[in-house]
Amino acid sequence: MKVLVINCGSSSLKYQLIDMNNEEVLAKGLAERIGIDGSKIKHKPSGKEDVVIEKPMSNHKVALEIVINALVDENYGIIQSMDEISAVGHRVVHGGEKFSGSVVVNDDVMKALRECIDLAPLHNPPNIMGIEACQELMPNVPMIGVFDTAFHQTMPKSAYIYPLPYELYEKYGIRRYGFHGTSHKYVSNKAAEKLGKNIENLKIITCHLGNGASIAAVKNGESVDTSMGLTPLEGLAMGTRCGDIDPAIVTFVMEKENLDINGVNTLLNKKSGVLGVSGVSSDFRDIESAVKEGNDRAELALDVFANRVKKYIGAYAAIMGGVDAIVFTAGLGENSPEIREAVCEGFEYMGIEIDRTANKVRGKETIVSTEDSKVKVLVVPTNEELMIARDTKELV
Ligand code: ADP
């Protein structure tokens, strides 16, 4: 059985075709600049040369048509016909309170997704466009929706209700939802497997540190708290997002800098985080290089970032009544020994001891704590596409 996994952004479409008999990725790729000049697809078929296909793509449907043609192309294709695709799994960012697991998409689901647009105005519309494009091009193939928010639907009310007038929750659904759920679920389960323990008896803190970053408290296999909130802006400092700040700063800055709603949204989402503090870049590789060249603000940005992750680890150990394992994943979590060390440093009193030699690892599933460390620290590469494909297979 072959499953196509689709992840649509406003001007991009990422895809993977996975053979679920052996979970092998047959092809993957990225269509960029959809609806903008210079659209192209980078297509990577397994065992064949990568190709770049440059063609105008006015919308996601056109992009998807080109992707399907690439998958069946006689030179760089990987299947004979699109009939071989048994199902399509779609990443959907916001499922609100309606979805606590993946679902087969039908008219009711589409209606519910549209109702969630208010909660994720930047993310849900392209996700919906991706589903509609697939439905038009593959009318008889089942579509599955896999939600970033679903895994966190197990949080207790005490974790997801904001101390605001309760009516705002009732009227608008203002509450913590949390994101990166597919990744937090995947890496917590992988960590339990690696430790040879049943996840139902473990307290795990998962740190998804990429361009967007979030952290989750996973108790007995269920998310009980997470750092992102109503939107992905809350929590950790990120590449360009501020994470937690005093909410009074918003109106203060609007007044001082004469910013309107769009202006302040851009400031908090695009100009803050490690980019804002360092003035160098949102990419941690650039920041780490700048630190090596003696750039103080780059160093400060890393300190601010690590400090925030540390605070959340302490907080989540507190709410779970302890912690058995800490898991690092995503671009930075998987690839930066420096950040992992900075985060774990000073936690020895809690029984967290990183093994500096084992920690010199990039992108490989490994235990990086010492033999004696009471709390195990692991690097687990995330694989959201595989999780989406597994859910898709299970549901069809
Ligand atoms: P997203 O999916 O949120 O865009 P990723 O999980 O791909 O993000 O992570 C991207 C980030 O990971 C980059 O911005 C970069 O800062 C960081 N990163 C990737 N590789 C490395 C590395 N070798 N060293 C340090 N940071 C890295």
Side-chain angles (χ1 to χ4, degrees), residues 205-315:
I205 298 174
T206 46
C207 311
H208 179 109
L209 311 180
N211 208 5
S214 73
I215 178 161
V218 183
K219 190 174 183 182
N220 308 335
E222 288 188 343
S223 170
V224 293
D225 208 345
T226 190
S227 59
M228 283 179 168
L230 172 73
T231 74
L233 186 56
E234 195 184 346
L236 302 176
M238 308 180 209
T240 62
R241 290 180 223 150
C242 60
D244 300 335
I245 56 166
D246 179 344
I249 295 170
V250 177
T251 45
F252 186 91
V253 172
M254 284 175 89
E255 194 174 17
K256 294 282 181 200
E257 297 271 311
N258 204 12
L259 295 175
D260 61 6
I261 290 177
N262 274 339
V264 78
N265 261 333
T266 305
L267 179 109
L268 301 175
N269 278 289
K270 302 258 160 77
K271 296 184 179 169
S272 299
V274 292
L275 167 68
V277 175
S278 69
V280 172
S281 166
S282 64
D283 193 304
F284 286 85
R285 287 163 286 202
D286 300 338
I287 299 193
E288 284 177 0
S289 311
V291 171
K292 286 191 187 113
E293 285 159 17
N295 184 320
D296 290 343
R297 277 204 12 221
E299 190 165 353
L300 177 62
L302 286 189
D303 290 347
V304 169
F305 180 86
N307 178 279
R308 188 66 64 87
V309 181
K310 237 180 172 107
K311 262 192 184 175
Y312 268 100
I313 290 177

Side-chain angles (χ1 to χ4, degrees), residues 114-394:
R114 289 195 191 97
E115 284 165 9
C116 290
I117 287 180
D118 252 5
L119 295 170
L122 299 179
H123 294 101
N124 272 28
N127 298 157
I128 292 170
M129 276 192 287
I131 298 177
E132 286 171 342
C134 285
Q135 283 173 329
E136 280 183 47
L137 294 169
M138 299 180 246
N140 299 319
V141 176
M143 302 290 146
I144 308 301
V146 181
F147 303 91
D148 265 36
T149 47
F151 179 58
H152 300 301
Q153 279 294 305
T154 46
M155 280 187 287
K157 222 165 177 173
S158 56
Y160 73 71
I161 289 293
Y162 289 115
L164 288 167
Y166 194 76
E167 298 74 43
L168 294 179
Y169 166 58
E170 294 174 314
K171 262 162 80 179
Y172 307 114
I174 295 180
R175 52 158 283 181
R176 176 181 310 288
Y177 291 96
F179 299 88
H180 292 141
T182 312
S183 175
H184 289 296
K185 184 178 175 186
Y186 178 79
V187 300
S188 54
N189 278 286
K190 271 268 164 190
E193 236 174 72
K194 179 91 184 162
L195 296 172
K197 299 229 164 99
N198 186 340
I199 194 163
E200 284 172 17
N201 305 320
L202 287 176
K203 294 168 183 154
I204 305 177
I205 298 174
T206 46
C207 311
H208 179 109
L209 311 180
N211 208 5
S214 73
I215 178 161
V218 183
K219 190 174 183 182
N220 308 335
E222 288 188 343
S223 170
V224 293
D225 208 345
T226 190
S227 59
M228 283 179 168
L230 172 73
T231 74
L233 186 56
E234 195 184 346
L236 302 176
M238 308 180 209
T240 62
R241 290 180 223 150
C242 60
D244 300 335
I245 56 166
D246 179 344
I249 295 170
V250 177
T251 45
F252 186 91
V253 172
M254 284 175 89
E255 194 174 17
K256 294 282 181 200
E257 297 271 311
N258 204 12
L259 295 175
D260 61 6
I261 290 177
N262 274 339
V264 78
N265 261 333
T266 305
L267 179 109
L268 301 175
N269 278 289
K270 302 258 160 77
K271 296 184 179 169
S272 299
V274 292
L275 167 68
V277 175
S278 69
V280 172
S281 166
S282 64
D283 193 304
F284 286 85
R285 287 163 286 202
D286 300 338
I287 299 193
E288 284 177 0
S289 311
V291 171
K292 286 191 187 113
E293 285 159 17
N295 184 320
D296 290 343
R297 277 204 12 221
E299 190 165 353
L300 177 62
L302 286 189
D303 290 347
V304 169
F305 180 86
N307 178 279
R308 188 66 64 87
V309 181
K310 237 180 172 107
K311 262 192 184 175
Y312 268 100
I313 290 177
Y316 287 171
I319 61 148
M320 290 197 290
V323 53
D324 300 305
I326 296 173
V327 185
F328 287 94
T329 193
L332 182 67
E334 291 166 27
N335 293 301
S336 174
E338 292 83 3
I339 278 292
R340 293 192 296 261
E341 205 173 305
V343 167
C344 293
E345 193 188 18
F347 263 135
E348 292 77 11
Y349 73 94
M350 249 170 63
I352 303 172
E353 275 179 44
I354 207 149
D355 177 331
R356 285 170 192 231
T357 314
N359 187 41
K360 284 199 181 89
V361 67
R362 292 183 198 273
K364 213 176 118 220
E365 191 178 301
T366 327
I367 297 174
V368 298
S369 47
T370 61
E371 281 276 319
D372 299 336
S373 184
K374 189 162 91 43
V375 179
K376 302 297 169 205
V377 182
L378 298 96
V379 173
V380 178
T382 194
N383 196 339
E384 287 159 290
E385 289 77 12
L386 180 59
M387 274 298 272
I388 295 173
R390 282 182 185 165
D391 274 15
T392 302
K393 179 183 170 192
E394 205 174 299

